[in-house]
Amino acid sequence: MNDKAYILLVEDNPDDEALTIRALKKNNISNEVVVIRDGADAVDFILARGNYAHRDPLDLPVVVLLDLKLPKIEGLEVLRQIRRDPVAKLLPVVILTSSKEEQDLIGGYSNGANSYIRKPVDFTQFTEVLGHIGLYWLLLNEKPPILRGTKRKQDTL
Amino acid sequence: MRRAGAVVCVLLAAVDPACSLEDGMPGDILKIVRYDNDLSGYDVLGWMGHIIVVAFVVIIGILYWNWRLYREIRKREEVEVARQESEARYRILIDQGFNGIFVHDHFVVLDINKQMAEMVGRAREELIGTDAGVLFERSMSDALHGLSDQGATARLRLYVRHKDGSVIPVEAFSALCRFHGTDATIVAMRDMRAQDEAERILRANYNEMEQRVQERTSELDARVREAEDLNRAMINILEDLQAVNRNLNQMAVRLEAANRELESFSYSVSHDLRAPLRAIDGFSQAIEEDYTHLLDDQGRHYLQRIRHASRRMGDLIDDMLNLSRLSRRTMQIEQVNLSHIAYEIGRELKEAQPARQAEFVIAPDVVVQGDERLLTVAMTNLLTNAWKFTSSHSSARIEFGIETTNECTACYVKDDGVGFDMAYAGKLFGAFQRLHHQAEFPGAGIGLATVQRIIHRHGGQVWAKGEVEKGATFFFSL
C-alpha cells in the first residue's frame, strides 16, 4: 500500500493520457497517476486479480478517472463489475469522456458513477476541469472507509 | 112446392154468377124439394116453416154479395193508388235523376228526360216522336241494336252526339217495359266524361308512376353498378394499400436500421472525433507554453490559429450532435406556455447584458401543444438570434406574439435589428448556413436549422420575413 493516495486513469488514447497528466501537473497535483489502457485490465487491477493478483486488494486509488470507450471491456461494464464487489463498490469513480450522449449519462449514473465530466476540446478548459476534479476528490471529499475491517468475499470472482 | 125450389135457384144464381137458370135446378135443391114433398104428411109447421127457411137463405145471400162487392172496390182503389205512386216515382226518377233516360218503341222516342235532352242539346218536346238515332253518333248504328227491344242487355259503351257536334261518352243499358199500355224499351245512360277523365288521370298517373318506377329502377341499377365498380375499386385500393403497407413495413425496418446506424454514428462522432481536436489544441498549447522561446511572433500566431480552428471544429461537432439529438429525442407532448418561456429567456438575456437598451414585448398566455424541452430550445434560438441581430442598434424592441391569418395561426418573434435580404431567405434555415460574417455576428449557423427541425418534428412550418436594416420576423405554426 502506497503511503500517498494515487489516481487511477483508465484511458486508451495516449494523447488524452498525456494531456490529462499534463493538466494534472499544471494544477500542481503531484499524486501518482496509474494508467490502465483497457477495460479488462482496469477490472483486474481494481479487483486485484489476473495480471494484478499480486496486488493488495485493499490498496485502492483515491479516485478513478474512467473513460467510456475502451478496448475489450467498455467503461460502463467496468463500472458495473466493480460496483458488484463489496469493497470496490465504495470506490469514487469519475467518468471522464468525450461524449455527453444521454445513454452514456444515464448508463454512467445508474451503474454507480460518482460524477460525470465531459472532456472539453479547449485544453485551457480541460486543465481547469482537471483542477476542479483534483481539488474536489483529493482534498475536499472524505474518502470512504474501505480500509476499516472491510472483508472481500473469497467467492466474489 | 115447385115455386119454393125456383126461388132457391134464383137466389143461388144471384150468389154465384157462374150458375145460370138455364142450367136448370141443382140436384141437391131438388132433393130438398122432394124431401119437403115427402114430408107433406107433417103439417105441424106447415108453409110458415118454408117461408122462414127461404128468408134466411135470402138474407145470407145478400150479405155475401155485398161483402164481395166491397172487396172488389177496395182492391181497385189500392191498385189506383199504387199506380199513381209508381207514376210519381217514375217522374221523379226520370226528371230529377242524374242520368239520361229515354223510352222508345222501335227507336221512336216516346219519352225522354231533361238530362238526356240537355246531353244532346235539344228540347224534350222536339225529341219526343223522333228517331232515337239522332241521339247518338252515326257510327254507333251497330251498337244501337244492343238497345233494341230484345230485353235487358249488358252495359254498352256508346257516344251521345250533342247538337253542336261534340260527343259525350256514355255507358248505357236497356230493359223492356210497358209505356202507356204498350210495349217499349227504356234506355238509361250515365255520362262517363268525369269517370273517363278520372280514369285517364289515373292511367296517366299510373303511367307516370310506372315510368318513375322504371327510371328509379334503372337509376338503382346504375347505382348498383356504380357501387359494384366502387367495390372493385376499393378492393384494388385495399390491395394497393396492402402492398404499400408491406413497403412501409420494409421501409420502417430500413428506417430503424438507418436510425440505429445514425445513432452509432453520432455516438462514434461524439466519442472519437473530439479526441484528436483536444490533442491538437492541447499540444498546441503545450508548444506555446513549453517552447515559446523557440518561436517568433508569427509562429505563436500560427499556433493561436491552430487552437482557434480546433476549438471551432469542436463547437461545430457539438452543434451537429445537438441537432441530430433533436431528431432522435422522444417527444413528450403536453401543454406548453410559450409566453412564460419567452419571458424567462428575455430576462436571462437582459441580465447577461444589462447595459443594452432593449425591450421585450411578450403576448400573455400563448399556450400550445408540444414538447416543452424542444420548444424551449427553439424559443431560445429565436430570441437569442433577435437579441444578437439587434445588438448593432442603439435600442431594440423584440416582440413575441401570435397571429391568425388565412386559416393559419402562427407564433412569431419579431425584432427591429439588421434584418436580412429576402433573396437569401432560402438559406436561413439550412444547417451551418450564415448570412453574416463571423466577425459581425458570431455563431455556427445552426440556430435556425435547429428551430426548423424542432418545428418540423411538431408537424409545423417555419418561415421568415425581413428587410435589410428593418428587422426580421420569424413565424412558426405548430
Side-chain angles (χ1 to χ4, degrees), chain B residues 325-338:
Chain B
R325 204 169 288 133
L326 287 179
S327 310
R328 287 178 289 140
R329 212 181 102 81
T330 318
M331 297 220 296
Q332 285 172 345
I333 302 299
E334 57 193 328
Q335 289 227 324
V336 182
N337 191 323
L338 293 179

Side-chain angles (χ1 to χ4, degrees), chain A residues 13 15-16 18-19 22 26 68-69 97-104 118-124 126, chain B residues 267 270-272 274-275 277-279 281-283 285-286 289-290 307 310-311 314 318 325 328 373:
Chain A
N13 185 330
D15 290 341
D16 271 355
L19 289 171
R22 184 181 168 86
K26 280 176 73 81
L68 288 183
K69 248 193 144 194
T97 180
S98 294
S99 150
K100 60 166 185 177
E101 289 288 304
E102 202 171 79
Q103 65 195 82
D104 288 338
R118 190 184 182 223
K119 297 179 204 168
V121 167
D122 186 335
F123 186 70
T124 313
F126 187 62
Chain B
Y267 191 78
S270 186
H271 278 273
D272 302 335
R274 294 169 88 254
L277 290 174
R278 197 163 40 248
D281 188 69
F283 290 118
Q285 197 182 340
E289 285 168 1
D290 297 355
R307 291 194 64 198
S310 63
R311 283 198 294 267
D318 282 354
R325 204 169 288 133
R328 287 178 289 140
R373 231 174 91 180

Side-chain angles (χ1 to χ4, degrees), chain B residues 324-372:
Chain B
S324 105
R325 204 169 288 133
L326 287 179
S327 310
R328 287 178 289 140
R329 212 181 102 81
T330 318
M331 297 220 296
Q332 285 172 345
I333 302 299
E334 57 193 328
Q335 289 227 324
V336 182
N337 191 323
L338 293 179
S339 299
H340 285 176
I341 292 171
Y343 176 78
E344 280 302 314
I345 297 165
R347 197 175 54 80
E348 281 168 22
L349 288 169
K350 271 161 92 169
E351 273 174 13
Q353 286 174 276
R356 275 192 58 180
Q357 293 287 313
E359 181 194 8
F360 280 93
V361 182
I362 291 159
D365 292 324
V366 176
V367 177
V368 296
Q369 291 281 323
D371 182 295
E372 181 156 22

Side-chain angles (χ1 to χ4, degrees), chain B residues 459-474:
Chain B
Q461 291 295 322
V462 58
W463 64 99
K465 280 181 196 163
E467 205 178 323
V468 174
E469 285 305 323
K470 286 188 178 166
T473 309
F474 289 88

Side-chain angles (χ1 to χ4, degrees), chain A residues 27-38:
Chain A
N27 281 292
N28 297 318
I29 296 165
S30 56
N31 300 56
E32 186 196 350
V33 177
V34 175
V35 181
I36 301 286
R37 294 187 178 85
D38 74 59

